[in-house]
Structure formats: structure tokens, C-alpha cells
Amino acid sequence: MQNSAQGIKGDAIFRGFTLLLACSIIVILLLMTAEMVKESLPAISRFGWRFISGSTWDAVQEEFASLPYLYGSIVSSILAILLATPLSIGTALFITELAPRKVGAATAALVELLAAIPSVIYGLWGILVMTPWLQSTIQPFLIEHFGFLPFFRGAPYGVSMLAAVFILMIMIVPIITSITKEVLMAVPSSQKEAAIALGATRWEMIRMAVLPYGRSGILGAVILGLGRAIGETMAVTMVIGNTPKISLSLLSPAYTMPSVIANEFAETTTKMHASALMEIGLILLFVTLVINFLARMLLWSVTRKWKGGVA
Amino acid sequence: MILRSITLRRTANLSATLLMGGATLLVLLPLIIIFYHIVKMGISSISLDFFTQIPKPTGEAGGGMANGIAGSAIMIGMASLVGLPIGIFGAVYLTEYGTGKLATAIRFCADVLSGIPSIITGMVAYSMLVVPLKGFSALAGSFALSLIMIPIVLRTTEEQLKMVPATLREASLALGVPLWRTSIKVTLRSALTGVITGVLLAIARVAGETAPLLFTALGNQFWSKKLTEPMAALPLQIFNFAISPYEDWHRLAWAGALVLVVLMFGLSLAARWLGRSKHS
């Protein structure tokens, strides 16, 4: 039976071939991490912990520390998540529980399309439309009425932490919404029907049957959104003002980790400068790895056959 | 549970309903505004020159982004040559043999990988290709894009392959067709439209990527003659022109944004249409 022997041999080759390609995913992940660690070693050994706690960034003196970038990334992402989460959950509930099927499907399709718009286009709109508008209306309003708070002090520049928060919020809402929608659709209808049969109003049904069931999945979606916000580069770079200062005021320009990489990495003059930027990249990689790990764990526990990639 | 009056419960229900509807409006509003601006500014700025000319020097009116469009097409094409086979056949492995711990690890890594900021992919491509080749190049740009493509293609293709009915594959195996031929001729073939859908979505995703090209392809004001030279790309040009202080360049950036958005929506719609026609 030469034919079947050939088949078995072919199968073994095919299996090995596809396994090799599939494993490349793991190789890529390890390779990326190794490469980032290797390139940041000079900076790590020279600056140590000072790199995270200090705020000097001086390419001439070769003295680098990243606190302002860390601060900018953390503050902008967290504020954006705080604004985006209620909006996203509300929209996802509207799509799955409230809207007539066709309206829900149309809204969902629109949200999906929006998640696909490249960040450079959000940035273009942000810098040419949103920041001038913030500068002429929103920021003067905030200064006039809430200027006694430390968060709204200073002059209206337009480009600012506030602009970054807004643009990030607009960008991550579609992502959180579409994943939350998937999670909510996985809630068994028997749970919902039981609540309705007991005489619950629609809101009570959502509160008692839908949200508790989807809790960990929604948390996963929010954490995934956080990961996106922290790693978001182009749009933020275009509207945040790129000034490495730590300021409580949301109206002052700031800087984030991806932005400083985007602005300086192509034009580094010294090895140490490049290595310092690599270390910022390494911190960013580490943070996003942890965040994605957590998010995927939560999401996988909800829907075993989780759709990856697109989200 | 304390019984609350029906009026209170109804009020709570009504306000929750209004809040959900309000949230949806708040979400869709900025997005509609963004669309409006892209379409309005884009259409008023676009012309035939946009597709045939390269950018004019500062201060001169007119010019286009022909080199950026071509550059994007070339780099996406090269990234696809590497990224698509790896992603698609990796997915075949996961569907045919993917039951063990290794397969779970691969799936998990793919999901985690697709969440890594693309600027980091750019840095890795820089230190792996730009430094050794001693210069920014289209090659490095395509390499970065292919790294981004692989996990997306892998996961979407696997989803599609899993939808092929087991009976179809069993029938082929029962006829004595080896597993590898069954995979290619039956499983991949019957999921073909689905696989193409995944490919289109992956292309749509990398077509708009800017961050990984910043220090790999770098961008180019002129035509590139070789793959080892810096190359222009549409998203890079949009970025550079948007942050420039010149009104003419802003207009070109809007036109570029319109082209990019139309391209992405075209790809998404094509993907959706393909995905739908399979089930009807």
C-alpha cells in the first residue's frame, strides 16, 4: 500500500510544516521581548531605578529619566477609561437589550466600522478640528467656572492632556463597546426570561441577570481598552502637546511613552539616547503584556471560543 | 428583598433606558462629526493630481500623494507575502491538530501579540533590520507590518476554518484522502470566502498603521527606486502633513484621510458581504 504510506508521510510533513508556522507566533513574541531587553540594557545598567523616578530628559548631557512620560501615559489612559467605560457599557446594553433588532444591528455595524478607523485619522481630526475648538470654547469655559480647581488652571493652549483624554476616549469606546456586546450576547436567554417572568422591569432584568453574568467579561473588555489607550501613539502624539512636564492641570500640554518614542527614535544621535527610548518601549511592552494577559484570561473564561485579532 | 413601589421601579427603568440611549447618542455623535469633516474637507481637497503627483515643496500649491499610495501598496503587498501564508497555515495547524497545551499557548500568544502597541513592533523591526542594513528601508517597513498581520490572520482564519462542518472533512477522510490533502482541498477550500474575509480585514488593519513605519520605512518626499531605500506611505504622509503648519499640506492630509477611510470601509464592506453571502 504505497499510497497510504505516502499519505502518512505527507501527513507528517504537513503537520510539521503547519506546526512550524503556528509556532512562529510564540517565536515572534519571545523575539520581540528579547530584542527590547537587549537594546535597553545599556540604559538599564547606567540609570537603574533612577530611570523611573527622575524627570530629567537631556540628550546633550546623556541623562535620561522617564517619569513625565509614565505620568502622562497613566493619567491620560485612566481618565479616558473612566469616561469611556460607562458610555461603552450603555451603548452595548442599548445594542443588545434595548434597541429593536435592526437598529441594534445598524448601531453595532457603525461601531465596528469606527473601531477600524486608523489612529492617524483620529489624530488629524484631533489636531485640525478638536484642539482649536477646545481652545476657543471648552477650555476658556473650564478656566472661568472651574479655575479654582488645580485641574483647570493655566492658559488655553488647545493641545493638552484634556485633548489627549478626549481623543483616547473617542477611540477606545468602539473597542470596549464591541467586546462588551459580544460578552452580553453570551448571556443565556433563560436567565433573562426568568427575570422577566418574575415580573422584573427591563432595567431590573439587566441588573439582576445580564450584568452579573457578564461582569468578568466586561472587566476584560475595559482592561483591553486600557491596554489600547496606553499603547496608542499617533493620535495622542498629535494632540497632547509633547511637553515633558508633570502638571496637575488637564489644560497643560503633556507627553506619553509612545509619543516620545514616535518623536525622537528616528533622530537619536547617541547610543544612550536610543537605549533610553528602548527602555521606555520595554516598560510599555511589559505593561501592555500584563494588561493583555489579564484581559484575555478574563475574556477567555467567559467565551471559550474567543474571537481574537480584530478587537 | 424590600418591595419597592411600582412607580419607583418604573422611574428607575425609564431613567436607565434614557441613560442607555443617551450613551449611544454620545458615542455616535463625535464619530458622525469626524465623518462629516473627513468627507467635507476630503472631497473639497481631492483631485486627479492627488493620485498622480508627488508632494510639492513647501509653499507651492497642488501636488498629491501618489508616492505614498504606491508605497503603501508595495509594503502591504510584501507584508502579505510573508504574513498571510504564516497566518493561514498556522490556523490550519490549530484547527487540525490544535487540541493540546501548545495550541492553547499559540492562541493565547496570538491574542496577546495583537494587543502589543504597534510602535513597539516598529522598534523591533528597527533594531533587527534598519540597524544591520544601515538605513531606513521599505523592507523594514514591510517586516514590521507583517509582524502585525500574522496574529490577526491566524485568529480570524481559525474562526473560519472551525465553521467547516466536521461531516465534510470526515467524508473526505473516509474516502482515503490523506489529512493534508483534506485540509487543503476540503477544509481550506470550503472556508475560502471566510479566509478571504479575514485577509481583507487584516489588510485593512495594516493599511492604516503609521507608528510601525515611523522609523522603518521613514517616509520619502520622492519616489523610491529600491526596496532598501526609505519609502513613502499614505498614513505617514497624512501624519507629517497634519502636524505641519501649512494650509496646503493640511488639505492634502484631509484628502489622504478620505482615501484611506474609503479604502478601509471598502475592504470592511467587501469582507462583510463575502461573509454574508456564504450563509445565505
Side-chain angles (χ1 to χ4, degrees), chain A residues 45-104:
Chain A
S45 59
R46 169 137 171 216
F47 304 118
W49 291 108
R50 197 156 37 115
F51 191 77
I52 304 179
S53 58
S55 33
T56 331
W57 187 267
D58 188 340
V60 181
Q61 303 290 323
E62 297 213 351
E63 190 59 41
F64 298 104
S66 63
L67 193 61
Y69 311 114
L70 285 169
Y71 175 85
S73 280
I74 292 169
V75 171
S76 60
S77 312
I78 300 237
L79 289 179
I81 277 287
L82 287 179
L83 292 175
T85 302
L87 288 177
S88 308
I89 296 178
T91 309
L93 283 170
F94 174 83
I95 292 171
T96 52
E97 310 297 336
L98 207 62
R101 183 161 295 177
K102 275 192 178 156
V103 179

Side-chain angles (χ1 to χ4, degrees), chain A residues 208-225:
Chain A
M208 295 189 301
V210 177
L211 289 181
Y213 194 91
R215 197 180 292 146
S216 62
I218 296 173
L219 188 63
V222 171
I223 297 178
L224 208 62

Side-chain angles (χ1 to χ4, degrees), chain A residues 11 14 19 24 29 35 91 93-94 114 118 120-121 125 128 173 199 203-204 265 281 292-293 300 306 308, chain B residues 9 13 20 24 27 31 37-38 86 93 108 111-113 115 120 123 126-127 155 179-180 210 254 261 264:
Chain A
D11 277 352
F14 187 67
L19 175 65
S24 67
L29 196 57
E35 197 70 33
T91 309
L93 283 170
F94 174 83
L114 296 163
V120 70
I121 291 183
W125 181 80
L128 296 183
V173 156
W203 168 238
E204 285 163 345
F265 195 67
N292 275 281
F293 195 83
W300 275 32
W306 190 253
Chain B
R9 292 174 56 202
N13 189 42
M20 284 183 266
T24 311
V27 165
L31 302 161
H37 280 117
I38 294 175
I86 295 182
Y93 174 81
F108 199 81
D111 281 358
V112 170
L113 200 60
I120 292 186
M123 294 182 102
Y126 173 87
S127 65
R155 294 296 269 147
L179 185 59
W180 68 274
T210 317
W254 282 113
V261 165
M264 314 217 59

Side-chain angles (χ1 to χ4, degrees), chain B residues 206-229:
Chain B
V206 296
E209 284 290 353
T210 317
L213 299 178
L214 284 173
F215 21 80
T216 50
L218 193 70
N220 196 335
Q221 285 283 64
F222 309 100
W223 290 101
S224 319
K225 290 183 194 71
K226 283 182 287 192
L227 293 179
T228 46
E229 283 177 358

Side-chain angles (χ1 to χ4, degrees), chain A residues 28 32, chain B residues 79 113 121 124-125 128 142-151:
Chain A
I28 291 171
M32 286 177 77
Chain B
L113 200 60
T121 316
V124 171
M128 287 178 70
S142 325
F143 175 67
L145 292 184
S146 71
L147 290 185
I148 296 168
M149 246 178 162
I150 291 171

Side-chain angles (χ1 to χ4, degrees), chain A residues 266-279:
Chain A
E267 285 150 12
T268 53
T269 43
T270 61
K271 283 236 163 70
M272 195 47 73
H273 190 187
S275 181
L277 288 169
M278 278 286 185
E279 190 177 347

